[in-house]
Amino acid sequence: MTRVWGLIWAPFLASLLLVGWLLEVAAGSSDGTWTVKHEAGRCALKGQCGKKSFFGGQLPCPDNSVAEVPDEDTRKKLVAICGEKWDNGAICCDGDQIDSLSTNLKRAESIISSCPACKENFFNLFCTFTCSPDQSLFLNVTDTQKANTGKLIVTELDTLWSDDYGKGFYNSCKDVKFGATGGKAMDFIGGGAKNYTKFLKFLGDTKPFGSPFQINFPRPSSGDFTNMTAADPTARACNDTDEAYRCACVDCPASCPELPKVAEERACHIGALPCLSFAVIIVYSAFLLLVAAVSGHIAYQKHSKRKSERLQLLQDAALSEDEDEGDDVRHAGMLEKPQGQYWINSYCDAAFKKLGFVCARFPLITISASVVVVAVLSIGWVKFAVETDPVRLWVSPSSEAATEKEFFDSNFGPFYRAEQAFLVNDTHSSGPGPVLSYDTLAWWFDLENRVQRFRSMKEGVSLESVCFNPTGEACVVQSITGYFGRSFANVDPDTWREDLRHCTEQPGSQECLPDFQQPLSKDIILGGWQKTDDILDAEALITTWVVNNHPQGSEKEATAMDWEEMLKNLLQDAQREAKHRGLRLSFSTEISLEQELNKSTNTDAKIVIVSYIIMFLYASLALGSTTLTIKSILHNPANAMVQSKFTLGVIGILIVLMSVSASVGLFSACGIKVTLIIAEVIPFLVLAVGVDNIFLIVHEFERVNLSHPDESVETRVSKALGRMGPSILLSASTETVAFALGAAVGMPAVKNFAAYAAGAVLVNALLQVTMFVSVLSLNQRRVESRRADCFPCIRVGRADTGRHGAQYGYEEEGGLQRFIRKVYAPALLARKVKIATVVVFLGIFTAGLALLPTVALGLDQRQAFPRDSYLIPYFNDLDEYFNTGPPVYFVVKDSDVSERLHQQELCARYSTCHSFSLTNVLEQESKRSDISYIIGSTASWIDDFFTWLNPTNEECCKEHGKTCFAGRDPPWNITLYGMPEDGEFFHYLSKWLSSPTDEACPFGGAAPYSNALVVHPDSTKNPVPASHFRTSHTPLRSQSDFISAYASARRIASDVSESQNITVFPYSKFYIFFDQYASIVSLAGTLLGSAVFIIFFLTSLLLGSLATGLVVTVTVIMIVIAVLGTMALVHVSLNAISLVNLVICVGIGVEFCAHIARAFQFPSNTVLAKAPHHLVGRMGRGKDARAWASLVNVGGSVFSGITVTKFLGVAVLAWTRSKIFEVYYFRVWLALVVWAAAHALVFLPVALSLVGGEGYIDPESEGSLEDDLNARRYRALLPDEDVDSDDY
């Protein structure tokens, strides 16, 4: 769209007139009779004998006389135009005919001169037709009439030409390109003929601007042509062995060198399955067979053993393996209990214990200091800025795509602003139908006139003020109205169908050119006609208004946006008008995309806020359930007012918000902009992490209240934090480092998110172990002083003190805690259940791996809008009806085009152009568009510039009243020898770039190429540092098409750069959005792999066990793989948004697993001592007991603190109106919550019980006093008698 097609109606008109002129010159005298004799040396036509009418052209007279030898002047004229082969012998034409022949052949030459073979065949046909001495052998006059002069003139004739010549003639011309239009010469000289018979028929048919009489080209085999012989001269092939006739690759595919084959990046498949899927399925199947075989063998051995035991005496019978061996054996497993301490854990325990004591001792100071620090960090909000520009979101400023876009915009100007509308007839139940009718055209003309007349509300500008106007005479509006001069008065109610057919078949015809003089292809103004191949069956009218673009933030850009706002309002009104007519109108303006994205964000904000409120309410209420149970309320209803922890929950949520505020302030001050992803995701992420830690701290504190009721509040708080602090350190450190890794990524959306997420998680963890602990101590003092929650000034005298362990002698256990202790944990750790768990979860892992190759890349922009957005129907129509691909520019940098070598590296139409020059390669790539995604001709300024210098185009290059290069030595030629270089090159280049494209010269460079070159005439180094060559992509329908097209353009540019030793890069408007997919797979692998490595390192270090660290890491990997597999099933593509979510998966996965893993590695002795005896009574069952203890200790907190909280929050997102939120947040986060909870609460305890590392003593669980207190006051953890069963 950055160039204008040439004004080509004159050459086209000339080509149509050519036949008439060439055939008018055929008769000799008025006394001749019709072609009676057909023999060698005899004519059929000769001379010019008159016209049919006053406005008609000269027609030949029938003349069957003998051919005559011409005079010397006539001979010279004939040889000059038809070649040396006519330098002797008789002929059947006179001097006037030759003059006319010369004039008209020169007109045709401007169209076909780039291909010597086509030119030779074209000239040869008409020279032979006009002057051959054997004319009567292949020409027969069939009808005549009297002219206005009274002489007899020919009105119809038959001329015989061999099929071989007809085919050769057509083949030599069918692929010739016509200059600046980029179209084919055959569209002008042959009416777009698809074979030689139609080509010859077009040449001979009588038409107003074509042949003035009927010339029939019957096939020699189609009838009896007595005494006639078909003319059969040798037709030159476009790839002729004679270099003088050989055409360039761009005009002759047969002469092109074969491009290297492209190694297609096709994924390995075995049958219909990707190789990875096939491999993991085979491996898992083998694993299942192995498990089945081992299980069968064990079952058989047990059966044999039991059969043998029944034969023994009862008194000698051994106890069953799963039976209890008495009270002494009941605690035998404790021989395997952890015996040593891990120094890092001990150090962390002591540090957190001291920190907890200080914060609880000085709560007001701690809270005040925390608030001050957060307030200071939040000062950065003054520099708060939201990044909404998609370009700056998805592409690194230092990436190739970003630097190339900057180069293109700064040198060639920003890409044009496109406003487009579709009028579709698909509102009927019967389905889509033809949209074209006389009434519809009348309304559409009126609508376009309104668009042209109306002015914007703010600045009062019209289309004329903002449009792209390359000729200075008319705006570029691509529409069906252009065929009719944009005036409905030109639409004849009786003939409009025929007129439309004519213009779609011959868009370059003078009567069909729009006022901006650019031929309109039917593919860009009509859609759906391809189904029947009838243009009148088109299902959609398409109009595109092209508006000039300007630098972002400039006044001119604001003016264009103001006009676009007016256009949007006008077209929204027109939508209602179209609906009234039974039609549907869809449209898009340049401002529509950002407006609808913001609208979507505003809509999502409400849903997100509701989601957070629900999570907040649940967390606040659930925290109170640790001490406030139904039984305690029934026992003393006053307890509800005191034991409630609603205020504690509010503070916990407030801390989450404070951490987000501090992170935003800190990084805003550093100049890192907030993105919509950050605004929508960070609170969710921090709430997920924060709420879980709050639950852990509160639950542990309540246990300490039971075990140490007589200790001071500070001591109890310090003990709780001493136990939970290292667990929080483990999860927070791994999450912070994992997120921080993303900051090394170049993609701003991921980089900024990683920075904000790492900061928020870190600040949140710090506030939880300081400020929240202080609030917790204050809350406990409030409870023990019997003051009401939320209203601490009110004292509730009847309430209990909160030391309910001392009050009742036992803790009333919650339902979830009781279920985990009595049912879930023992059942999960039974041998058969563990085997089934491993098999099932490995199956899930296998399925996830098998689905990995099916995860698509891309982001359908329709998903970014609200469900009711007016842009969704527009993009649907764009895919369905717009059969034209986006333009692509191949930009050449730092190449001195004034040197012959560099000219040859770029050009294509000249014999010395390099075989693999840029234009030649692009032409060849267009021949394999299924691989290259390139189609159509390349607009090559270097070729058109040299064609403009051709002296045969007499009206093009002129200096001092004379044609440039006329009489030059060496002359203009297709070898480029003697063509201008250095200073002379720039002299003529400047003239060409200011030369208009008009009927006199269609090769002027002003309109088509004025912005294709960067010219610095005063530069001594390189006056043309950059230029571009335009072509087009194939229609791109899917995200994979866009990604493949971008990759293909990169490949082509790289190959040309390497082979020609020049710098070339491709540019198209959509490339900037798809650059991420060139590296997103490797980026995702690197980012997630690095995060997983960090998790393994930190968990192994902080837990003191490589085995446990490996189990946690593998579990997190399995969670991520399961989420990826789910993405494939629910059609979530991999892009920057989903990559951020995958990073979140790693963080949340660690949060789920870390606490359980640490509780396993450092079990509470008091909890471990109460483990069911069947878990500790056999050799190797110590890990089972520790796995049971970890579930009992923190399993409830993980489930209620994060699983339920996140599930409630995510569930609300199902009601979002935004498709992107529903796809990329609801689906992915729901999968994350389900899979993370399943793996952490089901698979992880089983895996730890099987291959977990050796445990350590928890410093907070030591001491006989504590054991004694727990034995007396924590009886709820004593195992029930009914657990003692061999079913486990």
Side-chain angles (χ1 to χ4, degrees), residues 296-319:
H297 176 73
I298 293 174
Y300 176 77
Q301 292 293 330
K302 284 187 175 181
H303 176 73
S304 299
K305 183 178 180 180
R306 289 173 181 171
K307 184 177 180 181
S308 176
E309 288 174 349
R310 285 196 295 268
L311 298 177
Q312 297 178 7
L313 295 176
L314 293 176
Q315 61 271 26
D316 295 330
L319 291 173

Short mmCIF file of all heavy atoms in Angstrom, two decimals, residues 296-319:
data_model
loop_
_atom_site.label_atom_id
_atom_site.label_comp_id
_atom_site.label_asym_id
_atom_site.label_seq_id
_atom_site.Cartn_x
_atom_site.Cartn_y
_atom_site.Cartn_z
N GLY A 296 1.11 -59.19 39.59
CA GLY A 296 0.64 -60.57 39.47
C GLY A 296 1.55 -61.55 40.17
O GLY A 296 1.08 -62.49 40.84
N HIS A 297 2.85 -61.33 40.05
CA HIS A 297 3.81 -62.22 40.72
C HIS A 297 3.67 -62.12 42.24
O HIS A 297 3.66 -63.16 42.94
CB HIS A 297 5.23 -61.85 40.30
CG HIS A 297 6.28 -62.65 40.99
ND1 HIS A 297 6.53 -63.98 40.71
CD2 HIS A 297 7.17 -62.29 41.98
CE1 HIS A 297 7.50 -64.42 41.49
NE2 HIS A 297 7.91 -63.41 42.27
N ILE A 298 3.54 -60.90 42.75
CA ILE A 298 3.40 -60.72 44.20
C ILE A 298 2.11 -61.35 44.69
O ILE A 298 2.06 -62.01 45.74
CB ILE A 298 3.45 -59.23 44.55
CG1 ILE A 298 4.85 -58.67 44.27
CG2 ILE A 298 3.07 -58.99 46.00
CD1 ILE A 298 4.96 -57.16 44.46
N ALA A 299 1.03 -61.16 43.94
CA ALA A 299 -0.25 -61.76 44.34
C ALA A 299 -0.15 -63.28 44.38
O ALA A 299 -0.69 -63.94 45.28
CB ALA A 299 -1.34 -61.31 43.37
N TYR A 300 0.53 -63.83 43.39
CA TYR A 300 0.69 -65.29 43.36
C TYR A 300 1.51 -65.77 44.55
O TYR A 300 1.18 -66.77 45.20
CB TYR A 300 1.36 -65.70 42.06
CG TYR A 300 1.65 -67.19 41.98
CD1 TYR A 300 0.62 -68.11 41.71
CD2 TYR A 300 2.94 -67.67 42.19
CE1 TYR A 300 0.88 -69.45 41.65
CE2 TYR A 300 3.21 -69.02 42.13
CZ TYR A 300 2.18 -69.92 41.86
OH TYR A 300 2.44 -71.26 41.82
N GLN A 301 2.60 -65.04 44.88
CA GLN A 301 3.43 -65.41 46.02
C GLN A 301 2.65 -65.35 47.32
O GLN A 301 2.77 -66.23 48.19
CB GLN A 301 4.65 -64.49 46.08
CG GLN A 301 5.64 -64.68 44.94
CD GLN A 301 6.33 -66.03 44.99
OE1 GLN A 301 6.54 -66.61 46.06
NE2 GLN A 301 6.65 -66.56 43.81
N LYS A 302 1.82 -64.29 47.48
CA LYS A 302 1.01 -64.17 48.69
C LYS A 302 0.01 -65.31 48.79
O LYS A 302 -0.23 -65.86 49.88
CB LYS A 302 0.29 -62.82 48.71
CG LYS A 302 1.18 -61.65 49.06
CD LYS A 302 0.35 -60.40 49.21
CE LYS A 302 1.22 -59.23 49.69
NZ LYS A 302 0.42 -58.00 49.88
N HIS A 303 -0.59 -65.63 47.64
CA HIS A 303 -1.57 -66.72 47.65
C HIS A 303 -0.91 -68.03 48.05
O HIS A 303 -1.44 -68.80 48.86
CB HIS A 303 -2.19 -66.84 46.26
CG HIS A 303 -3.15 -67.99 46.13
ND1 HIS A 303 -4.40 -67.99 46.70
CD2 HIS A 303 -3.00 -69.20 45.50
CE1 HIS A 303 -5.00 -69.14 46.43
NE2 HIS A 303 -4.18 -69.89 45.71
N SER A 304 0.27 -68.28 47.53
CA SER A 304 0.99 -69.51 47.86
C SER A 304 1.38 -69.52 49.33
O SER A 304 1.29 -70.55 50.02
CB SER A 304 2.24 -69.63 47.00
OG SER A 304 1.90 -69.69 45.63
N LYS A 305 1.81 -68.35 49.84
CA LYS A 305 2.22 -68.26 51.23
C LYS A 305 1.05 -68.51 52.17
O LYS A 305 1.16 -69.25 53.16
CB LYS A 305 2.83 -66.89 51.50
CG LYS A 305 3.35 -66.72 52.92
CD LYS A 305 3.99 -65.36 53.09
CE LYS A 305 4.49 -65.19 54.51
NZ LYS A 305 5.12 -63.85 54.70
N ARG A 306 -0.11 -67.92 51.86
CA ARG A 306 -1.28 -68.10 52.72
C ARG A 306 -1.77 -69.55 52.69
O ARG A 306 -2.23 -70.10 53.68
CB ARG A 306 -2.39 -67.15 52.28
CG ARG A 306 -2.09 -65.70 52.62
CD ARG A 306 -3.10 -64.78 52.04
NE ARG A 306 -2.78 -63.39 52.37
CZ ARG A 306 -3.39 -62.33 51.85
NH1 ARG A 306 -4.36 -62.53 50.97
NH2 ARG A 306 -3.04 -61.11 52.21
N LYS A 307 -1.66 -70.17 51.53
CA LYS A 307 -2.06 -71.57 51.42
C LYS A 307 -1.17 -72.46 52.27
O LYS A 307 -1.62 -73.39 52.93
CB LYS A 307 -2.00 -71.99 49.96
CG LYS A 307 -2.49 -73.41 49.71
CD LYS A 307 -2.47 -73.73 48.23
CE LYS A 307 -2.98 -75.15 47.98
NZ LYS A 307 -2.95 -75.48 46.53
N SER A 308 0.13 -72.12 52.29
CA SER A 308 1.07 -72.88 53.10
C SER A 308 0.83 -72.66 54.59
O SER A 308 0.95 -73.59 55.40
CB SER A 308 2.50 -72.47 52.73
OG SER A 308 3.43 -73.12 53.57
N GLU A 309 0.48 -71.40 54.94
CA GLU A 309 0.27 -71.08 56.35
C GLU A 309 -0.93 -71.83 56.93
O GLU A 309 -0.95 -72.18 58.10
CB GLU A 309 0.07 -69.57 56.53
CG GLU A 309 1.34 -68.77 56.34
CD GLU A 309 1.08 -67.28 56.39
OE1 GLU A 309 -0.12 -66.92 56.36
OE2 GLU A 309 2.04 -66.51 56.46
N ARG A 310 -1.94 -72.10 56.09
CA ARG A 310 -3.12 -72.78 56.61
C ARG A 310 -2.83 -74.24 56.98
O ARG A 310 -3.58 -74.87 57.71
CB ARG A 310 -4.23 -72.72 55.55
CG ARG A 310 -4.89 -71.36 55.45
CD ARG A 310 -6.21 -71.42 54.70
NE ARG A 310 -6.04 -71.81 53.32
CZ ARG A 310 -5.88 -70.93 52.32
NH1 ARG A 310 -5.89 -69.64 52.59
NH2 ARG A 310 -5.70 -71.35 51.11
N LEU A 311 -1.71 -74.75 56.44
CA LEU A 311 -1.37 -76.13 56.74
C LEU A 311 -0.57 -76.28 58.04
O LEU A 311 -0.34 -77.38 58.52
CB LEU A 311 -0.55 -76.71 55.58
CG LEU A 311 -1.27 -76.77 54.23
CD1 LEU A 311 -0.31 -77.30 53.15
CD2 LEU A 311 -2.52 -77.63 54.30
N GLN A 312 -0.11 -75.14 58.55
CA GLN A 312 0.70 -75.17 59.77
C GLN A 312 -0.22 -75.22 61.00
O GLN A 312 -1.40 -74.88 60.94
CB GLN A 312 1.60 -73.94 59.83
CG GLN A 312 2.61 -73.89 58.71
CD GLN A 312 3.44 -72.61 58.80
OE1 GLN A 312 3.34 -71.88 59.77
NE2 GLN A 312 4.25 -72.39 57.78
N LEU A 313 0.37 -75.60 62.08
CA LEU A 313 -0.38 -75.61 63.34
C LEU A 313 -0.69 -74.20 63.77
O LEU A 313 0.09 -73.29 63.52
CB LEU A 313 0.45 -76.30 64.43
CG LEU A 313 0.73 -77.79 64.20
CD1 LEU A 313 1.66 -78.33 65.30
CD2 LEU A 313 -0.56 -78.58 64.19
N LEU A 314 -1.83 -74.01 64.37
CA LEU A 314 -2.24 -72.67 64.73
C LEU A 314 -1.26 -72.03 65.70
O LEU A 314 -1.00 -70.84 65.62
CB LEU A 314 -3.64 -72.71 65.37
CG LEU A 314 -4.78 -73.12 64.43
CD1 LEU A 314 -6.10 -73.20 65.21
CD2 LEU A 314 -4.91 -72.10 63.33
N GLN A 315 -0.67 -72.84 66.59
CA GLN A 315 0.23 -72.22 67.54
C GLN A 315 1.56 -71.80 66.93
O GLN A 315 2.31 -71.03 67.51
CB GLN A 315 0.52 -73.19 68.72
CG GLN A 315 1.17 -74.50 68.32
CD GLN A 315 0.15 -75.59 67.98
OE1 GLN A 315 -0.96 -75.25 67.58
NE2 GLN A 315 0.52 -76.84 68.18
N ASP A 316 1.87 -72.35 65.74
CA ASP A 316 3.12 -71.97 65.08
C ASP A 316 2.92 -70.89 64.02
O ASP A 316 3.88 -70.49 63.37
CB ASP A 316 3.75 -73.19 64.42
CG ASP A 316 4.19 -74.21 65.44
OD1 ASP A 316 4.53 -73.78 66.57
OD2 ASP A 316 4.20 -75.40 65.10
N ALA A 317 1.67 -70.51 63.84
CA ALA A 317 1.40 -69.55 62.75
C ALA A 317 2.04 -68.21 63.04
O ALA A 317 2.00 -67.72 64.16
CB ALA A 317 -0.10 -69.38 62.56
N ALA A 318 2.63 -67.65 62.03
CA ALA A 318 3.25 -66.32 62.16
C ALA A 318 2.21 -65.24 61.96
O ALA A 318 1.22 -65.44 61.28
CB ALA A 318 4.38 -66.16 61.14
N LEU A 319 2.48 -64.14 62.56
CA LEU A 319 1.58 -63.01 62.37
C LEU A 319 1.65 -62.51 60.94
O LEU A 319 2.71 -62.54 60.32
CB LEU A 319 1.96 -61.89 63.33
CG LEU A 319 1.69 -62.18 64.81
CD1 LEU A 319 2.28 -61.05 65.66
CD2 LEU A 319 0.21 -62.35 65.09
#
